[in-house]
Amino acid sequence: MLANKLLYITGASMLAISLLIGCKREKFAPPVKENFELSDKAFVRLYNGAVGTARNFLYLNETPLTGAAVGYGGLFPATGGFYSAIPAGQLNLNVKDTITGAVQPVVPVAGTFDAGKRYTIFTYDTATQAKQLTIEDRLEVPADTSARVRFVNIPFSRNVIPNVDVYSKRKGANVFSNISLNSATDFIPYEAAQTDTLYVRVAGSEIGLDTLVTFSPARKRFYTLVFRGNYNINANVPTARTLTNFLTY
């Protein structure tokens, strides 16, 4: 009886050892390594400020970068703070409406996009005469707890319109002064974690053009203020002139 038990235990042990050895000998293919190397990439974002447009797509040569159409006032990538990675170098980007017979012309964005740098492409004017303003986003994270803010002035008008100021109610002073049409400022330091009211005014006056009622920048973040829309319309319609903002980074 004891011999039978020893034989049973020994046999079971040998089976376990055999299985263990078999498991050790089995080889598995290593997982595919994901490529997170972005040192040779530039980064772009599209902001659609061209009045009357609804289906803008961003292309690299003939390859679409956008998965969905970017409507008026929309962003690609849609989530604030994000960019799309593209090969660095001399590139031919295009903004266009892909619908057959679209009235919007193809808007070329040809230029050099340096590795490691970020750019925002702003479209402006109207669907029939869309244009673009491409700006390098110079982002140096503040050492303190302040935010960074810039201003882009791209309203549409067939008539000559004046330069503008951006006035801060909290500061009691202009934060941007005498900004010309279709231009952008650099990022400037801005007090964070405070609520402000901003006004776009005719430069050098108190003539109000639009108001951003609540502006509360977070610490160490970058924001872009955009004055866009039909300059000659001041009403509660989507294409009226308006001051808006988005998170840049």
Side-chain angles (χ1 to χ4, degrees):
M1 182 67 70
L2 179 60
N4 289 339
K5 288 183 177 180
L6 289 173
L7 180 61
Y8 176 78
I9 294 171
T10 303
S13 300
M14 291 301 294
L15 179 60
I17 294 171
S18 176
L19 290 172
L20 183 60
I21 293 173
C23 289
K24 287 184 176 180
R25 287 179 177 175
E26 187 174 357
K27 294 182 178 180
F28 296 92
V32 177
K33 184 178 180 181
E34 293 187 59
N35 181 17
F36 292 104
E37 179 58 56
L38 296 174
S39 61
D40 61 343
K41 303 295 184 183
F43 304 89
V44 296
R45 168 192 286 120
L46 172 66
Y47 180 91
N48 182 12
V51 176
T53 57
R55 292 182 49 84
N56 270 342
F57 291 82
L58 180 62
Y59 275 71
L60 172 57
N61 297 319
E62 296 303 317
T63 303
L65 298 177
T66 43
V70 182
Y72 172 65
L75 274 172
F76 166 76
T79 303
F82 286 84
Y83 292 78
S84 178
I86 59 174
Q90 182 71 33
L91 301 176
N92 292 311
L93 298 173
N94 293 289
V95 179
K96 59 184 177 181
D97 188 330
T98 58
I99 293 179
T100 302
V103 298
Q104 180 180 334
V106 175
V107 182
V109 190
T112 300
F113 296 83
D114 295 329
K117 293 185 178 180
R118 293 175 170 83
Y119 302 85
T120 300
I121 302 164
F122 294 87
T123 57
Y124 64 93
D125 208 298
T126 61
T128 57
Q129 300 187 55
K131 303 173 179 63
Q132 62 85 20
L133 174 67
T134 299
I135 304 169
E136 180 187 341
D137 300 342
R138 296 182 175 88
L139 307 173
E140 296 182 6
V141 178
D144 57 17
T145 59
S146 64
R148 295 291 183 268
V149 179
R150 71 177 171 189
F151 175 63
V152 179
N153 186 29
I154 52 171
F156 156 73
S157 179
R158 294 295 178 220
N159 303 314
V160 176
I161 58 178
N163 293 356
V164 298
D165 299 333
V166 178
Y167 177 86
S168 163
K169 181 178 180 179
R170 182 177 179 82
K171 297 176 182 295
N174 289 337
V175 288
F176 300 103
S177 298
N178 200 33
I179 309 303
S180 60
L181 183 64
N182 302 330
S183 67
T185 71
D186 293 328
F187 285 102
I188 62 170
Y190 208 93
E191 185 178 9
Q194 301 289 340
T195 300
D196 202 353
T197 300
L198 302 176
Y199 303 84
V200 178
R201 294 174 168 178
V202 174
S205 77
E206 295 185 3
I207 300 174
L209 300 173
D210 198 57
T211 305
L212 182 61
V213 176
T214 302
F215 182 57
S216 302
R219 295 181 176 93
K220 294 181 177 292
R221 304 310 295 267
F222 290 73
Y223 297 84
T224 298
L225 302 169
V226 182
F227 185 46
R228 60 171 169 84
N230 191 327
Y231 183 88
N232 301 304
I233 299 176
N234 184 21
N236 189 25
V237 296
T239 57
R241 66 189 187 218
T242 186
L243 175 63
T244 185
N245 75 99
F246 65 87
L247 176 66
T248 304
Y249 188 73

